Amino acid sequence: AQTVTQSQPEMSVQEAETVTLSCTYDTSESDYYLFWYKQPPSRQMILVIRQEAYKQQNATENRFSVNFQKAAKSFSLKISDSQLGDAAMYFCAYRSEGQGGSEKLVFGKGTKLTVNP
Amino acid sequence: DSGVTQTPKHLITATGQRVTLRCSPRSGDLSVYWYQQSLDQGLQFLIQYYNGEERAKGNILERFSAQQFPDLHSELNLSSLELGDSALYFCASSVGLVSGLAEAFFGQGTRLTVV
């Protein structure tokens, strides 16, 4: 079964600094999709960034970028120029697709990010 | 607004009771996922439906069941409720059938409290 591990339960960063959140996953599949979601105190799940496994180029969305290492099964999130509004729980997620519309979207336990002014 | 609607937003019930949580997916999305998020925990994948049929199962208890109707809305039924079932239950939807990189859109969740 696919599993997603986020080894940092909590992280903190100073405003305007850079922080990296770690994520590793376990799978035997060759093609899959990886996501980072953000959950602010409102509890709404918000997509931050996504990556397809067969694409080696790391995805970037404004201040958010990933370091995808397929062989190491690692998918870390880098937040540059951290802002107070970045404070949230961050979840790494893995999606695999099977036959006939079967999809498992599996999440890690999350990393709570605090941004200090 | 994600376009995914969950009702009710809050639910308080007693142990041993049965409740039904409802989810209306985003227009055009065929795939619906259900998740349980306990206090300070990650999202536990429960079950996924595609176009009315169960397609993937996660850590769903036998006391829990779900279905997706022809109009694509989905219901999660929780029975013989225990205190430990208190959690935030999320529904998400995506296009389905090889969603690939397509975003899964989440509802606001239903906060279930079992007393």
Side-chain angles (χ1 to χ4, degrees):
Chain A
Q2 295 86 2
T3 57
V4 177
T5 302
Q6 293 180 248
S7 59
Q8 306 150 316
E10 296 187 26
M11 292 282 284
S12 64
V13 63
Q14 291 298 123
E15 198 175 1
E17 297 295 310
T18 295
V19 65
T20 298
L21 308 184
S22 300
C23 171
T24 58
Y25 55 93
D26 185 26
T27 184
S28 58
E29 300 179 4
S30 58
D31 199 19
Y32 46 87
Y33 308 88
L34 298 164
F35 305 82
W36 278 96
Y37 277 83
K38 165 184 175 180
Q39 187 181 43
S42 68
R43 293 291 196 173
Q44 179 66 49
M45 294 291 287
I46 302 165
L47 179 66
V48 174
I49 198 165
R50 47 191 150 180
Q51 172 92 33
E52 186 160 13
Y54 78 79
K55 289 189 176 177
Q56 288 302 306
Q57 186 173 3
N58 290 323
T60 300
E61 289 284 345
N62 300 315
R63 297 182 296 106
F64 299 87
S65 61
V66 297
N67 183 3
F68 173 50
Q69 301 289 329
K70 190 172 184 179
K73 296 180 183 175
S74 171
F75 184 61
S76 60
L77 174 69
K78 185 170 84 171
I79 306 174
S80 304
D81 185 25
S82 296
Q83 300 175 359
L84 294 177
D86 294 334
M89 282 290 286
Y90 284 82
F91 293 99
C92 179
Y94 168 105
R95 173 192 269 150
S96 63
E97 292 170 350
Q99 300 279 349
S102 168
E103 300 178 344
K104 279 193 175 184
L105 181 58
V106 178
F107 285 80
K109 291 190 181 299
T111 296
K112 182 178 181 180
L113 178 65
T114 301
V115 181
N116 300 309
Chain B
D1 182 6
S2 68
V4 179
T5 304
Q6 288 188 250
T7 57
K9 286 188 170 51
H10 301 277
L11 194 51
I12 301 175
T13 190
T15 54
Q17 295 298 305
R18 172 189 168 95
V19 297
T20 297
L21 313 183
R22 182 188 169 103
C23 170
S24 294
R26 220 169 53 110
S27 177
D29 284 354
L30 299 178
S31 187
V32 169
Y33 312 81
W34 284 98
Y35 291 89
Q36 178 192 58
Q37 185 178 33
S38 301
L39 189 65
D40 295 330
Q41 294 293 311
L43 281 79
Q44 289 288 324
F45 171 69
L46 295 179
I47 199 162
Q48 179 239 343
Y49 279 81
Y50 169 74
N51 203 22
E53 295 192 18
E54 180 189 311
R55 292 299 185 185
K57 223 168 184 177
N59 300 321
I60 188 166
L61 299 173
E62 286 191 12
R63 300 183 286 109
F64 296 0
S65 64
Q67 52 185 326
Q68 186 180 28
F69 294 87
D71 67 353
L72 300 178
H73 91 271
S74 179
E75 293 181 356
L76 179 66
N77 300 296
L78 315 176
S79 61
S80 303
L81 285 167
E82 302 174 358
L83 296 178
D85 297 328
S86 296
L88 188 58
Y89 290 84
F90 280 106
C91 165
S93 74
S94 66
V95 293
L97 197 61
V98 194
S99 292
L101 274 177
E103 179 176 353
F105 291 88
F106 282 76
Q108 295 275 22
T110 293
R111 169 72 67 188
L112 173 66
T113 303
V114 183
V115 298

